[in-house]
Amino acid sequence: MSAGKTSSGLGKRQVLLSFNPGKAFVISVDVGLATTIVARVDLSVNVTDKCEIGTSESPERFACELVDCISDLCNKGNELPSYLVISAPGLVRGDLRTAINVPLLHWVDLPLAEVVENRLKLKGIETTVTINNDAKLGVLAEVALNQDIPDRFRNIVYVLVKEGVGIGLFINGSLYVGSNHIAGEFGHMSIDPDGPECSCGRRGCWLTLVGSRELENLIRDNRLNDYLEFFSMGLLNIVNGLDPDMVVISGALEEYWTASCPC
């Protein structure tokens, strides 16, 4: 689209161009344990509309309710999304189509992208669907959009505190996923051998001690320092092992950041 004209004093006046952010949009799906947030995002990365659904453990029911929500967002503008990205709190296969394991929802080897695509087609919506780990998508978003991260920083650790804790790794200037696309599973570090049992079968994994529910419980009991001790144990292991330029902490802990780190 034209943004006006300018002249250097010689020859034909130049036409200034800019893109129309509303010309296309993508659908972003953030899957949480209780609630899934579905957002319509324009080319300027602005959320122009959104809705929420309950997160069902039944893949078919979840896909059905998700597609109904997406259909509503599309119908408001009578347009089709260019792309649909699902952010999942668990392991995702490297083809970005299958949820290998989302323990809190008991999703195992679930071809979620295909399931959603097929249901979208029944609604007359044809678009590419991909799925990825929430922390991996989170670190990419931080690198792309966070103006507080200097361009020279090429090694960033992203810590996402939700029902558990996820880690996204930006190493040597690119997203690090490992050989099987499951790098960053530091939540299963054993911090307390006598701690709560984890979904992996072990006890005292980091994620069982520093999730949002554990944070809320300890805050209620005026034991924020106990939470921070567990959180710091795991984070120091990661920092000492990877030596990043920066650590970005997101999710439930943000709300209490001023109180926990008044500096």
PDB file of all heavy atoms in Angstrom, residues 65-93:
ATOM      1  N   GLU A  65     -13.753 -28.120  20.001  1.00  0.00           N
ATOM      2  CA  GLU A  65     -13.990 -26.816  20.621  1.00  0.00           C
ATOM      3  C   GLU A  65     -13.015 -25.773  20.094  1.00  0.00           C
ATOM      4  O   GLU A  65     -13.378 -24.600  19.917  1.00  0.00           O
ATOM      5  CB  GLU A  65     -13.895 -26.950  22.138  1.00  0.00           C
ATOM      6  CG  GLU A  65     -15.007 -27.821  22.722  1.00  0.00           C
ATOM      7  CD  GLU A  65     -14.873 -28.023  24.224  1.00  0.00           C
ATOM      8  OE1 GLU A  65     -13.820 -27.654  24.781  1.00  0.00           O
ATOM      9  OE2 GLU A  65     -15.816 -28.562  24.827  1.00  0.00           O
ATOM     10  N   LEU A  66     -11.784 -26.196  19.836  1.00  0.00           N
ATOM     11  CA  LEU A  66     -10.786 -25.279  19.294  1.00  0.00           C
ATOM     12  C   LEU A  66     -11.200 -24.786  17.913  1.00  0.00           C
ATOM     13  O   LEU A  66     -11.133 -23.584  17.621  1.00  0.00           O
ATOM     14  CB  LEU A  66      -9.426 -25.969  19.225  1.00  0.00           C
ATOM     15  CG  LEU A  66      -8.297 -25.189  18.540  1.00  0.00           C
ATOM     16  CD1 LEU A  66      -8.006 -23.891  19.272  1.00  0.00           C
ATOM     17  CD2 LEU A  66      -7.029 -26.038  18.453  1.00  0.00           C
ATOM     18  N   VAL A  67     -11.639 -25.695  17.065  1.00  0.00           N
ATOM     19  CA  VAL A  67     -12.028 -25.323  15.702  1.00  0.00           C
ATOM     20  C   VAL A  67     -13.256 -24.412  15.707  1.00  0.00           C
ATOM     21  O   VAL A  67     -13.350 -23.473  14.900  1.00  0.00           O
ATOM     22  CB  VAL A  67     -12.272 -26.585  14.861  1.00  0.00           C
ATOM     23  CG1 VAL A  67     -12.966 -26.245  13.554  1.00  0.00           C
ATOM     24  CG2 VAL A  67     -10.942 -27.295  14.588  1.00  0.00           C
ATOM     25  N   ASP A  68     -14.188 -24.652  16.614  1.00  0.00           N
ATOM     26  CA  ASP A  68     -15.340 -23.748  16.735  1.00  0.00           C
ATOM     27  C   ASP A  68     -14.888 -22.336  17.077  1.00  0.00           C
ATOM     28  O   ASP A  68     -15.394 -21.345  16.527  1.00  0.00           O
ATOM     29  CB  ASP A  68     -16.303 -24.255  17.807  1.00  0.00           C
ATOM     30  CG  ASP A  68     -17.115 -25.460  17.347  1.00  0.00           C
ATOM     31  OD1 ASP A  68     -17.165 -25.703  16.120  1.00  0.00           O
ATOM     32  OD2 ASP A  68     -17.685 -26.149  18.212  1.00  0.00           O
ATOM     33  N   CYS A  69     -13.923 -22.229  17.981  1.00  0.00           N
ATOM     34  CA  CYS A  69     -13.386 -20.930  18.388  1.00  0.00           C
ATOM     35  C   CYS A  69     -12.672 -20.255  17.217  1.00  0.00           C
ATOM     36  O   CYS A  69     -12.870 -19.060  16.956  1.00  0.00           O
ATOM     37  CB  CYS A  69     -12.445 -21.125  19.567  1.00  0.00           C
ATOM     38  SG  CYS A  69     -11.692 -19.611  20.198  1.00  0.00           S
ATOM     39  N   ILE A  70     -11.849 -21.017  16.501  1.00  0.00           N
ATOM     40  CA  ILE A  70     -11.122 -20.473  15.354  1.00  0.00           C
ATOM     41  C   ILE A  70     -12.099 -20.013  14.272  1.00  0.00           C
ATOM     42  O   ILE A  70     -11.931 -18.953  13.665  1.00  0.00           O
ATOM     43  CB  ILE A  70     -10.154 -21.528  14.780  1.00  0.00           C
ATOM     44  CG1 ILE A  70      -9.042 -21.824  15.797  1.00  0.00           C
ATOM     45  CG2 ILE A  70      -9.542 -21.062  13.465  1.00  0.00           C
ATOM     46  CD1 ILE A  70      -8.206 -23.035  15.447  1.00  0.00           C
ATOM     47  N   SER A  71     -13.140 -20.809  14.045  1.00  0.00           N
ATOM     48  CA  SER A  71     -14.146 -20.463  13.039  1.00  0.00           C
ATOM     49  C   SER A  71     -14.809 -19.132  13.373  1.00  0.00           C
ATOM     50  O   SER A  71     -15.040 -18.298  12.484  1.00  0.00           O
ATOM     51  CB  SER A  71     -15.197 -21.578  12.957  1.00  0.00           C
ATOM     52  OG  SER A  71     -16.182 -21.264  12.006  1.00  0.00           O
ATOM     53  N   ASP A  72     -15.095 -18.909  14.649  1.00  0.00           N
ATOM     54  CA  ASP A  72     -15.697 -17.640  15.071  1.00  0.00           C
ATOM     55  C   ASP A  72     -14.760 -16.467  14.779  1.00  0.00           C
ATOM     56  O   ASP A  72     -15.194 -15.406  14.314  1.00  0.00           O
ATOM     57  CB  ASP A  72     -16.024 -17.676  16.557  1.00  0.00           C
ATOM     58  CG  ASP A  72     -17.210 -18.586  16.871  1.00  0.00           C
ATOM     59  OD1 ASP A  72     -17.958 -18.913  15.937  1.00  0.00           O
ATOM     60  OD2 ASP A  72     -17.366 -18.977  18.042  1.00  0.00           O
ATOM     61  N   LEU A  73     -13.464 -16.646  15.056  1.00  0.00           N
ATOM     62  CA  LEU A  73     -12.503 -15.570  14.809  1.00  0.00           C
ATOM     63  C   LEU A  73     -12.380 -15.280  13.314  1.00  0.00           C
ATOM     64  O   LEU A  73     -12.210 -14.127  12.909  1.00  0.00           O
ATOM     65  CB  LEU A  73     -11.133 -15.950  15.374  1.00  0.00           C
ATOM     66  CG  LEU A  73     -11.013 -16.023  16.899  1.00  0.00           C
ATOM     67  CD1 LEU A  73      -9.591 -16.422  17.304  1.00  0.00           C
ATOM     68  CD2 LEU A  73     -11.383 -14.701  17.556  1.00  0.00           C
ATOM     69  N   CYS A  74     -12.451 -16.326  12.493  1.00  0.00           N
ATOM     70  CA  CYS A  74     -12.343 -16.138  11.044  1.00  0.00           C
ATOM     71  C   CYS A  74     -13.597 -15.485  10.475  1.00  0.00           C
ATOM     72  O   CYS A  74     -13.524 -14.621   9.597  1.00  0.00           O
ATOM     73  CB  CYS A  74     -12.106 -17.469  10.350  1.00  0.00           C
ATOM     74  SG  CYS A  74     -10.506 -18.232  10.720  1.00  0.00           S
ATOM     75  N   ASN A  75     -14.749 -15.882  10.982  1.00  0.00           N
ATOM     76  CA  ASN A  75     -16.016 -15.370  10.458  1.00  0.00           C
ATOM     77  C   ASN A  75     -16.200 -13.879  10.711  1.00  0.00           C
ATOM     78  O   ASN A  75     -16.894 -13.199   9.959  1.00  0.00           O
ATOM     79  CB  ASN A  75     -17.189 -16.143  11.060  1.00  0.00           C
ATOM     80  CG  ASN A  75     -17.292 -17.557  10.517  1.00  0.00           C
ATOM     81  OD1 ASN A  75     -16.765 -17.850   9.456  1.00  0.00           O
ATOM     82  ND2 ASN A  75     -17.956 -18.432  11.252  1.00  0.00           N
ATOM     83  N   LYS A  76     -15.569 -13.372  11.765  1.00  0.00           N
ATOM     84  CA  LYS A  76     -15.716 -11.950  12.079  1.00  0.00           C
ATOM     85  C   LYS A  76     -15.155 -11.076  10.960  1.00  0.00           C
ATOM     86  O   LYS A  76     -15.602  -9.953  10.767  1.00  0.00           O
ATOM     87  CB  LYS A  76     -15.033 -11.625  13.408  1.00  0.00           C
ATOM     88  CG  LYS A  76     -15.769 -12.184  14.616  1.00  0.00           C
ATOM     89  CD  LYS A  76     -15.087 -11.808  15.923  1.00  0.00           C
ATOM     90  CE  LYS A  76     -15.857 -12.365  17.121  1.00  0.00           C
ATOM     91  NZ  LYS A  76     -15.208 -12.020  18.405  1.00  0.00           N
ATOM     92  N   GLY A  77     -14.157 -11.578  10.252  1.00  0.00           N
ATOM     93  CA  GLY A  77     -13.600 -10.814   9.135  1.00  0.00           C
ATOM     94  C   GLY A  77     -13.842 -11.479   7.797  1.00  0.00           C
ATOM     95  O   GLY A  77     -13.396 -10.994   6.761  1.00  0.00           O
ATOM     96  N   ASN A  78     -14.551 -12.621   7.846  1.00  0.00           N
ATOM     97  CA  ASN A  78     -14.817 -13.398   6.632  1.00  0.00           C
ATOM     98  C   ASN A  78     -13.531 -13.682   5.865  1.00  0.00           C
ATOM     99  O   ASN A  78     -13.470 -13.566   4.652  1.00  0.00           O
ATOM    100  CB  ASN A  78     -15.825 -12.657   5.735  1.00  0.00           C
ATOM    101  CG  ASN A  78     -16.444 -13.582   4.698  1.00  0.00           C
ATOM    102  OD1 ASN A  78     -16.533 -14.790   4.915  1.00  0.00           O
ATOM    103  ND2 ASN A  78     -16.843 -13.023   3.573  1.00  0.00           N
ATOM    104  N   GLU A  79     -12.480 -14.066   6.618  1.00  0.00           N
ATOM    105  CA  GLU A  79     -11.167 -14.324   6.025  1.00  0.00           C
ATOM    106  C   GLU A  79     -10.618 -15.636   6.560  1.00  0.00           C
ATOM    107  O   GLU A  79     -11.066 -16.147   7.594  1.00  0.00           O
ATOM    108  CB  GLU A  79     -10.202 -13.184   6.365  1.00  0.00           C
ATOM    109  CG  GLU A  79     -10.616 -11.828   5.816  1.00  0.00           C
ATOM    110  CD  GLU A  79      -9.754 -10.714   6.392  1.00  0.00           C
ATOM    111  OE1 GLU A  79      -9.599 -10.671   7.629  1.00  0.00           O
ATOM    112  OE2 GLU A  79      -9.259  -9.900   5.609  1.00  0.00           O
ATOM    113  N   LEU A  80      -9.610 -16.158   5.861  1.00  0.00           N
ATOM    114  CA  LEU A  80      -8.955 -17.387   6.281  1.00  0.00           C
ATOM    115  C   LEU A  80      -7.559 -17.081   6.811  1.00  0.00           C
ATOM    116  O   LEU A  80      -6.860 -16.222   6.261  1.00  0.00           O
ATOM    117  CB  LEU A  80      -8.856 -18.371   5.108  1.00  0.00           C
ATOM    118  CG  LEU A  80     -10.180 -18.822   4.492  1.00  0.00           C
ATOM    119  CD1 LEU A  80      -9.903 -19.791   3.337  1.00  0.00           C
ATOM    120  CD2 LEU A  80     -11.074 -19.475   5.533  1.00  0.00           C
ATOM    121  N   PRO A  81      -7.126 -17.772   7.851  1.00  0.00           N
ATOM    122  CA  PRO A  81      -5.781 -17.530   8.384  1.00  0.00           C
ATOM    123  C   PRO A  81      -4.693 -18.040   7.444  1.00  0.00           C
ATOM    124  O   PRO A  81      -4.881 -19.052   6.760  1.00  0.00           O
ATOM    125  CB  PRO A  81      -5.783 -18.318   9.706  1.00  0.00           C
ATOM    126  CG  PRO A  81      -6.789 -19.402   9.494  1.00  0.00           C
ATOM    127  CD  PRO A  81      -7.852 -18.807   8.617  1.00  0.00           C
ATOM    128  N   SER A  82      -3.562 -17.340   7.418  1.00  0.00           N
ATOM    129  CA  SER A  82      -2.437 -17.790   6.601  1.00  0.00           C
ATOM    130  C   SER A  82      -1.722 -18.973   7.244  1.00  0.00           C
ATOM    131  O   SER A  82      -1.082 -19.771   6.554  1.00  0.00           O
ATOM    132  CB  SER A  82      -1.446 -16.639   6.406  1.00  0.00           C
ATOM    133  OG  SER A  82      -2.067 -15.543   5.784  1.00  0.00           O
ATOM    134  N   TYR A  83      -1.854 -19.085   8.557  1.00  0.00           N
ATOM    135  CA  TYR A  83      -1.087 -20.089   9.286  1.00  0.00           C
ATOM    136  C   TYR A  83      -1.730 -20.266  10.654  1.00  0.00           C
ATOM    137  O   TYR A  83      -2.397 -19.363  11.162  1.00  0.00           O
ATOM    138  CB  TYR A  83       0.357 -19.597   9.451  1.00  0.00           C
ATOM    139  CG  TYR A  83       1.405 -20.670   9.537  1.00  0.00           C
ATOM    140  CD1 TYR A  83       1.794 -21.379   8.411  1.00  0.00           C
ATOM    141  CD2 TYR A  83       2.023 -20.969  10.750  1.00  0.00           C
ATOM    142  CE1 TYR A  83       2.775 -22.362   8.487  1.00  0.00           C
ATOM    143  CE2 TYR A  83       3.008 -21.945  10.830  1.00  0.00           C
ATOM    144  CZ  TYR A  83       3.379 -22.640   9.696  1.00  0.00           C
ATOM    145  OH  TYR A  83       4.341 -23.613   9.760  1.00  0.00           O
ATOM    146  N   LEU A  84      -1.548 -21.430  11.254  1.00  0.00           N
ATOM    147  CA  LEU A  84      -2.046 -21.674  12.602  1.00  0.00           C
ATOM    148  C   LEU A  84      -0.960 -22.381  13.399  1.00  0.00           C
ATOM    149  O   LEU A  84      -0.442 -23.411  12.973  1.00  0.00           O
ATOM    150  CB  LEU A  84      -3.311 -22.532  12.554  1.00  0.00           C
ATOM    151  CG  LEU A  84      -4.143 -22.626  13.836  1.00  0.00           C
ATOM    152  CD1 LEU A  84      -5.606 -22.900  13.504  1.00  0.00           C
ATOM    153  CD2 LEU A  84      -3.622 -23.727  14.772  1.00  0.00           C
ATOM    154  N   VAL A  85      -0.596 -21.810  14.543  1.00  0.00           N
ATOM    155  CA  VAL A  85       0.482 -22.360  15.372  1.00  0.00           C
ATOM    156  C   VAL A  85      -0.081 -22.714  16.744  1.00  0.00           C
ATOM    157  O   VAL A  85      -0.721 -21.880  17.389  1.00  0.00           O
ATOM    158  CB  VAL A  85       1.637 -21.350  15.543  1.00  0.00           C
ATOM    159  CG1 VAL A  85       2.735 -21.961  16.403  1.00  0.00           C
ATOM    160  CG2 VAL A  85       2.189 -20.936  14.189  1.00  0.00           C
ATOM    161  N   ILE A  86       0.156 -23.941  17.171  1.00  0.00           N
ATOM    162  CA  ILE A  86      -0.293 -24.408  18.483  1.00  0.00           C
ATOM    163  C   ILE A  86       0.910 -24.533  19.408  1.00  0.00           C
ATOM    164  O   ILE A  86       1.881 -25.212  19.091  1.00  0.00           O
ATOM    165  CB  ILE A  86      -1.007 -25.765  18.374  1.00  0.00           C
ATOM    166  CG1 ILE A  86      -2.231 -25.653  17.456  1.00  0.00           C
ATOM    167  CG2 ILE A  86      -1.421 -26.270  19.754  1.00  0.00           C
ATOM    168  CD1 ILE A  86      -2.907 -26.981  17.183  1.00  0.00           C
ATOM    169  N   SER A  87       0.835 -23.857  20.543  1.00  0.00           N
ATOM    170  CA  SER A  87       1.886 -23.902  21.554  1.00  0.00           C
ATOM    171  C   SER A  87       1.471 -24.888  22.640  1.00  0.00           C
ATOM    172  O   SER A  87       0.440 -24.708  23.295  1.00  0.00           O
ATOM    173  CB  SER A  87       2.074 -22.491  22.155  1.00  0.00           C
ATOM    174  OG  SER A  87       2.884 -22.529  23.296  1.00  0.00           O
ATOM    175  N   ALA A  88       2.262 -25.948  22.830  1.00  0.00           N
ATOM    176  CA  ALA A  88       1.885 -27.027  23.746  1.00  0.00           C
ATOM    177  C   ALA A  88       2.882 -27.174  24.890  1.00  0.00           C
ATOM    178  O   ALA A  88       4.092 -27.065  24.677  1.00  0.00           O
ATOM    179  CB  ALA A  88       1.781 -28.347  22.984  1.00  0.00           C
ATOM    180  N   PRO A  89       2.397 -27.460  26.095  1.00  0.00           N
ATOM    181  CA  PRO A  89       3.286 -27.629  27.260  1.00  0.00           C
ATOM    182  C   PRO A  89       3.817 -29.049  27.371  1.00  0.00           C
ATOM    183  O   PRO A  89       3.505 -29.776  28.314  1.00  0.00           O
ATOM    184  CB  PRO A  89       2.368 -27.278  28.439  1.00  0.00           C
ATOM    185  CG  PRO A  89       1.015 -27.745  27.986  1.00  0.00           C
ATOM    186  CD  PRO A  89       0.968 -27.516  26.501  1.00  0.00           C
ATOM    187  N   GLY A  90       4.607 -29.457  26.384  1.00  0.00           N
ATOM    188  CA  GLY A  90       5.134 -30.811  26.401  1.00  0.00           C
ATOM    189  C   GLY A  90       6.064 -31.063  25.242  1.00  0.00           C
ATOM    190  O   GLY A  90       6.477 -30.144  24.540  1.00  0.00           O
ATOM    191  N   LEU A  91       6.389 -32.336  25.022  1.00  0.00           N
ATOM    192  CA  LEU A  91       7.329 -32.713  23.974  1.00  0.00           C
ATOM    193  C   LEU A  91       6.633 -32.780  22.624  1.00  0.00           C
ATOM    194  O   LEU A  91       5.529 -33.323  22.506  1.00  0.00           O
ATOM    195  CB  LEU A  91       7.954 -34.079  24.290  1.00  0.00           C
ATOM    196  CG  LEU A  91       8.712 -34.202  25.615  1.00  0.00           C
ATOM    197  CD1 LEU A  91       9.259 -35.617  25.780  1.00  0.00           C
ATOM    198  CD2 LEU A  91       9.838 -33.202  25.686  1.00  0.00           C
ATOM    199  N   VAL A  92       7.301 -32.241  21.608  1.00  0.00           N
ATOM    200  CA  VAL A  92       6.751 -32.215  20.259  1.00  0.00           C
ATOM    201  C   VAL A  92       7.770 -32.816  19.291  1.00  0.00           C
ATOM    202  O   VAL A  92       8.970 -32.541  19.384  1.00  0.00           O
ATOM    203  CB  VAL A  92       6.408 -30.765  19.839  1.00  0.00           C
ATOM    204  CG1 VAL A  92       5.979 -30.711  18.373  1.00  0.00           C
ATOM    205  CG2 VAL A  92       5.322 -30.204  20.737  1.00  0.00           C
ATOM    206  N   ARG A  93       7.286 -33.629  18.361  1.00  0.00           N
ATOM    207  CA  ARG A  93       8.164 -34.252  17.373  1.00  0.00           C
ATOM    208  C   ARG A  93       8.731 -33.195  16.427  1.00  0.00           C
ATOM    209  O   ARG A  93       8.133 -32.149  16.205  1.00  0.00           O
ATOM    210  CB  ARG A  93       7.389 -35.318  16.598  1.00  0.00           C
ATOM    211  CG  ARG A  93       8.245 -36.201  15.693  1.00  0.00           C
ATOM    212  CD  ARG A  93       7.490 -37.449  15.299  1.00  0.00           C
ATOM    213  NE  ARG A  93       7.278 -38.318  16.462  1.00  0.00           N
ATOM    214  CZ  ARG A  93       6.242 -39.140  16.596  1.00  0.00           C
ATOM    215  NH1 ARG A  93       5.309 -39.193  15.669  1.00  0.00           N
ATOM    216  NH2 ARG A  93       6.145 -39.905  17.667  1.00  0.00           N
TER     217      ARG A  93
END
